[in-house]
Amino acid sequence: MQLHYTKHHAAYVANLNKALEQYIAAEEAQNLQQMIALQPAIRFNGGGNVNHSIFWTNLAPISKGGGDFQDGNLKKAIIQEFGSVDQFKEQLSTKSVAIQGSGWGWLGLNPAKKRLELATCDNQDPLSTKGLIPLLGIDVWEHAYYLQYKNVRADYVKAIWSIINWKNIEERFAQAMSK
């Protein structure tokens, strides 16, 4: 994870800053073509930064509560929506493992319906592009797991549940529900 954080996430931030600087210059020059041309880089690198910023807070070592899912409003909502915590984990795991290529598996809140939903996003598209508030993201880009799990994405996704920071996700859920 250190390589993931120090190299991959840092590259998204650096590339986003560069694209934003160029965008501001193009905007000041009223160069609409250049502004449009920079939007894919902003979306990709901005999404990479947003997604990873959430991802890091969604994780915790076992010694600091990782994997420990306490009773609370989030757990009640998961059971109501998915039948059980195990069924939720199975559904999100299945969706995440099935992503073709690179992307993210997500648990999000639909703010209009005040209901939990599962979604996947390609590449670095943020969950907000689907109208959902992100609560829990699983990064299934190969850089997230290849050094430890080789090409066995399913083993990585199975193992990640032991370090999920449920306290963080519960806080995200409470904040999203209050909006």
Side-chain angles (χ1 to χ4, degrees), residues 1 24 27-28 56 83 109 112 125-126 137 142 150 157 163 172 177:
M1 288 292 178
I24 291 167
E27 188 176 43
E28 289 172 354
W56 303 127
L109 179 74
D125 287 352
E142 283 186 341
K150 307 297 181 236
V157 171
I163 58 168
R172 289 179 167 284
M177 288 294 284

Side-chain angles (χ1 to χ4, degrees), residues 2 6 17 36 41 54 58 73 85 89 98 101 105 113 129 144 175:
Q2 186 165 346
T6 60
N17 287 337
I36 292 169
I54 294 167
N58 283 172
N73 291 331
V85 172
K89 288 179 180 180
K113 296 178 182 177
T129 61
Q175 184 178 31

Side-chain angles (χ1 to χ4, degrees), residues 15-171:
N15 291 330
L16 173 62
N17 287 337
K18 180 179 176 186
L20 288 172
E21 287 173 12
Q22 292 173 343
Y23 187 90
I24 291 167
E27 188 176 43
E28 289 172 354
Q30 297 182 350
N31 184 339
L32 185 57
Q33 289 180 343
Q34 182 66 16
M35 291 166 62
I36 292 169
L38 287 164
Q39 288 177 6
I42 292 169
R43 180 177 176 142
F44 179 79
N45 292 294
N49 180 45
V50 167
N51 293 342
H52 283 90
S53 294
I54 294 167
F55 182 65
W56 303 127
T57 66
N58 283 172
L59 304 176
I62 294 169
S63 64
K64 297 199 180 199
D68 186 20
F69 197 3
Q70 300 291 316
D71 290 336
N73 291 331
L74 174 64
K75 194 173 209 177
K76 288 177 191 171
I78 285 174
I79 292 169
Q80 180 179 349
E81 194 65 44
F82 302 102
S84 72
V85 172
D86 287 339
Q87 287 177 326
F88 154 71
K89 288 179 180 180
E90 182 179 328
Q91 288 179 39
L92 183 54
S93 294
T94 299
K95 284 182 157 298
S96 299
V97 170
I99 294 170
Q100 293 184 348
S102 300
W104 292 78
W106 288 100
L107 170 66
L109 179 74
N110 181 320
K113 296 178 182 177
K114 295 289 187 187
R115 292 185 64 180
L116 297 174
E117 293 183 15
L118 302 180
T120 60
C121 294
D122 295 331
N123 298 313
Q124 291 297 353
D125 287 352
L127 188 59
S128 60
T129 61
K130 299 199 179 227
L132 301 175
I133 299 170
L135 303 175
L136 165 62
I138 300 176
D139 183 350
V140 292
W141 278 69
E142 283 186 341
H143 68 245
Y145 60 87
Y146 198 83
L147 292 177
Q148 187 171 357
Y149 295 94
K150 307 297 181 236
N151 64 337
V152 188
R153 180 184 284 178
D155 286 353
Y156 157 75
V157 171
K158 183 179 178 181
I160 205 164
W161 294 109
S162 68
I163 58 168
I164 293 297
N165 183 353
W166 290 108
K167 183 179 177 189
N168 170 264
I169 299 158
E170 177 78 42
E171 290 168 357

